[in-house]
Amino acid sequence: MADKKYLDKTDYSADMQKLVSVLIERMYGSELSDEEKSRREYGIVTGLIR
Amino acid sequence: MSEKGLELFEERLTLIDNAIKFKENSRVPIYGLVSNWMLYYLGMSAKEALANPDAEREGYNKAVGEFKFDALLSSLIQLPSVAAKVLGGGSITDNESDVLQIRTSDSELMGPDEYDELIADPVGFMRDKIMPRRHEFLKSGDIEAQYATLKEFYDLGAVRGMQMGKNEQYLKEELGVPVPAAGGGFMPTDIILDYLRDFSGIMVDIRRQPEKVCEASLAMLEPMIKSVDAANPVPRRDKLIAIFTHIPGYISPKAFEIVYWPQFKKYLEHFSSKGHRWMILYEKNWEHLYDFLLDSPKKSILGFFEEDDIFKGKKVLEGSIAFAGGIRTNDLYYKSKQENIDIVKRVIDECAPGGGLVLAPDKVMHTNADGKTENLQAVIDFAQEYGKYK
C-alpha cells in the first residue's frame, strides 16, 4: 500500500511561497513582469512536483 | 556547417510536413522514435554515458548517421536524472538501470477531497501542498539550504540542456536530421494521474467525481497554455509541439468525453489556430476514441500510435491525423529480418497511398528487448527504397 503523503496536513504555504519567490528572483532577476513571474512559477512548480 | 547537411535537413522537414498535410511526398519518411535503446546499440551503460558525455555524443551521432532516420525523438539519449537525485529522487526510480523510470504507486500526494483547492488555485496548490509532500527536504531546514539544493538541481539540468541543444545543432548542420519535438507538456489530467493522485486514485475519482477531474484539468490548462505559448511564440517549420498522453488508453469513451476531451480539444485548438503543428504520442490503444480524434484539428497532427491497428487506424483517420507507426518493437525483437521486411512492405502497400504515413517504431525504443539492430537496419534500408512514391 502506497504511503498516503496527503494525510500530512502541516501548512508549508508561507515557506513554499517565499522559497519560490526567492528562486525566481535569483534565477531570473527582480525586473520580471507579473505575467513572466507567473509563467516561471508554473514551470518551477510543475517541475518540482515530480 | 555542412551545406549538404542543411540541404538534407530541409528535405527531411519537407517529408515530415508533407506527411502531416497528406500531400504528395517523394517517399515515406522514417521517424527514429528511439531513446535509451541507443545505449545497447553502442554497447555503453548509462553510467558510462553519464561519466563521459563526449563518448555518448559521438556514439549517438555515429548511430544516427548509420540508421539514416529522417527525424529523431531526442538530440541525445534520455539518461537517468542525476539532477533528480539532488532532490532526493522525487518520482524517479534510482535503480542503476539504463532507463529513466517513474516509480509506480508513489504519487498519491493529493487527497480525493482536495480537488476544490486544486481548482481554485492550481499553481498555488501544487506549490504549497504538493511540493513539500513530494520532497522531504522542503519540510525542514532554512530557506538558504533549500535554495542551495534547488540551485544545484537546476544547474545540473542546465548542463544537460546545453549538451542537448548543442548536439541538436550538430545533428541539423552536419547530419541533416531534425529533432522536431518542442515542449508541450503533459495534459493536466495526466499530471493528476502521474504526480497528484496516482493510477488507482484517479481511476476512483473518474468514477465518483468526474466533473471535478474535468474542472481541475481545465483550471490547470490555463497556466499551462500561457507557459507553452511563451516557449513556442511562433510556429516553426522544424518544430512540432509534443504531447505524451497517458490515461486515455485506460478509460471509456464516456469517461474520456467528460474528463479528458474538453481540455485536450481546447489545447489543440488554441495552438492550431496559431498555425502550430503537433506530434502526439497516443499511448496504449486509442481505437475506441477515434470519434473524438476525428474532431481534432485536421492535417496538423503527426500521431504516434502505440497499440492501434495501423491498417484500421490509417483508414479511419485518413485526411485528419497522419499515422506514425508500422514498425512493431515486438517484431523487431522476436521476428526474423525477412518477416520484419514483409510486415513493413504490407504497411507501405496498404497505408502509403494518399500520404499521411510516417514509418516509426510503435513504442519509444528504450531497452535491447525493443528490437534487434539488424532487424531495424534492414527495415529502414528496405523502406527507404520501397517507400518511394512512384
Side-chain angles (χ1 to χ4, degrees), chain A residues 2-3 5, chain B residues 90-91 103-109 134 194 198:
Chain A
D3 177 22
K5 294 178 181 173
Chain B
S91 58
R103 206 166 38 236
T104 53
S105 303
D106 192 37
S107 289
E108 199 174 345
L109 301 183
R134 169 58 76 197
D194 292 339
D198 217 318

Side-chain angles (χ1 to χ4, degrees), chain B residues 144-162:
Chain B
E144 287 305 326
Q146 292 171 342
Y147 171 76
T149 301
L150 291 176
K151 186 171 185 314
E152 188 183 355
F153 168 74
Y154 286 114
D155 285 349
L156 282 166
V159 168
R160 186 63 179 166
M162 277 191 288

